[in-house]
Amino acid sequence: MTTQMPVIYVISDALGETAEFVSRAAAAQFSGVRTRIRRVPYVRDEVHLDEILEEAVHDQAIVVYTLVLLGLRNHLEQRAKEMSLQTVDILGPLIGAISVQTGLDPSHIPSIIHRLDEQYFRKVEAIEFAVKYDDGKDPRGALYADVVLIGVSRTSKTPLSMYLAHKGIKAANIPLVPEVAPPEELFTIPVHKVVGLTLRPDMLNLIRTERLKTLGLGASADYASLERIVRELEYARNVMKKIGCRIIDATGKAVEETASMVLDIMYRGERRD
């Protein structure tokens, strides 16, 4: 008899570490059975949830979740039932039992336990956020980010995102490419949450040329051509002007210096002059 490898989707409106730990503990009870666990953190809307459940159906997965947002929890159960998916609610029954015992209503606030050590856990959350929403992997991250960094390739968006994450700032970054329309999310969030990054063309040319060398590619590729770079920078600046965001020229600046400027824009809510 061939045993199918079980697939577990761990869905959370926070980090999802608790549900993943419980899932791994349960899977460990079945010796010799390989289990694939996919953790999906920061699920905060029904559209995103529906997309994940569609993928879970394809994988014939068991859905394990820690959702404290009641509406989202109810939506998951309803959709999972329609899709014939098995679900395991890690937090719901215990929250309900405590509510009955105390006569109090739960707050239904995601990540509330993190307040026990807010600074540490916020950093962990921010790092995971930066990884998940790096390089425009999912433009919806802009809706939940503390700051969104935009710019052409190799303008230090990723290093800056990670630096900010270690400061507890949830940073998403989205590349601007002339051949690809910028995501609509950039035009719907508060303008002071978007920061444009740019570099001098000659500096960007040098950085991209070195990047191609590390990849074993010729420096003559269009990606590193000065003509292409000037065109990209002009396109990016036009997008930034349309958004109305502040623009930082990171040429010659250390990551720490650029990060300080980003934080100033965020907290003061400054606008472009």
Side-chain angles (χ1 to χ4, degrees):
M1 177 180 178
T2 302
T3 303
Q4 180 181 351
M5 180 177 72
V7 180
I8 298 175
Y9 274 43
V10 172
I11 300 175
S12 176
D13 44 22
L15 286 174
E17 291 177 321
T18 300
E20 182 178 1
F21 180 81
V22 172
S23 299
R24 293 194 182 280
Q29 295 297 315
F30 298 87
S31 179
V33 177
R34 292 175 57 245
T35 304
R36 180 163 68 88
I37 297 177
R38 177 189 173 190
R39 174 153 56 111
V40 188
Y42 309 115
V43 179
R44 301 279 176 91
D45 63 78
E46 294 181 1
V47 174
H48 190 191
L49 181 57
D50 286 342
E51 291 175 356
I52 299 163
L53 293 178
E54 290 288 350
E55 295 175 19
V57 169
H58 181 268
D59 286 336
Q60 297 181 302
I62 300 167
V63 176
V64 178
Y65 64 94
T66 50
L67 297 172
V68 298
L69 296 170
L70 188 58
L72 206 57
R73 200 160 72 218
N74 292 338
H75 182 78
L76 184 150
E77 285 293 348
Q78 179 183 338
R79 295 290 289 132
K81 185 176 180 180
E82 294 170 0
M83 298 175 173
S84 300
L85 285 169
Q86 291 189 73
T87 62
V88 180
D89 182 359
I90 300 294
L91 291 180
L94 184 55
I95 289 175
I98 295 173
S99 179
V100 170
Q101 184 75 10
T102 62
L104 301 174
D105 292 326
S107 63
H108 298 299
I109 300 174
S111 305
I112 196 167
I113 194 172
H114 292 181
R115 294 179 184 177
L116 296 174
D117 191 346
E118 186 174 351
Q119 184 176 4
Y120 171 76
F121 284 107
R122 180 169 176 80
K123 182 172 75 170
V124 172
E125 185 177 355
I127 291 171
E128 291 206 3
F129 187 94
V131 171
K132 181 177 181 181
Y133 295 114
D134 180 46
D135 202 33
K137 291 174 185 173
D138 185 348
R140 287 172 305 197
L143 301 175
Y144 311 115
D146 296 320
V147 64
V148 183
L149 307 175
I150 61 175
V152 303
S153 174
R154 313 312 292 180
T155 48
S156 296
K157 297 184 300 298
T158 295
L160 184 55
S161 293
M162 293 307 300
Y163 181 88
L164 290 169
H166 280 83
K167 298 293 184 181
I169 304 298
K170 290 189 288 185
N173 73 81
I174 297 174
L176 298 179
V177 184
E179 293 79 12
V180 181
E184 288 299 319
E185 287 84 354
L186 290 178
F187 301 93
T188 62
I189 59 178
V191 68
H192 67 275
K193 286 192 174 185
V194 185
V195 177
L197 298 175
T198 189
L199 286 176
R200 282 203 325 262
D202 59 325
M203 179 61 67
L204 194 52
N205 171 256
L206 179 62
I207 293 171
R208 288 190 178 184
T209 299
E210 290 301 315
R211 174 61 175 164
L212 289 175
K213 288 180 181 178
T214 63
L215 296 175
L217 301 174
S220 60
D222 186 49
Y223 173 73
S225 74
L226 194 57
E227 181 182 354
R228 167 74 186 187
I229 288 171
V230 169
R231 188 165 71 251
E232 284 189 33
L233 289 171
E234 182 179 0
Y235 166 78
R237 186 169 288 273
N238 287 336
V239 171
M240 294 170 191
K241 287 182 178 179
K242 184 177 179 182
I243 294 170
C245 66
R246 288 288 300 271
I247 303 173
I248 297 175
D249 185 346
T251 304
K253 293 182 176 67
V255 172
E256 295 85 352
E257 184 180 357
T258 307
S260 178
M261 297 174 71
V262 170
L263 292 172
D264 189 56
I265 292 169
M266 285 175 55
Y267 293 133
R268 296 193 181 187
E270 293 182 356
R271 299 296 192 273
R272 178 178 170 275
D273 296 330

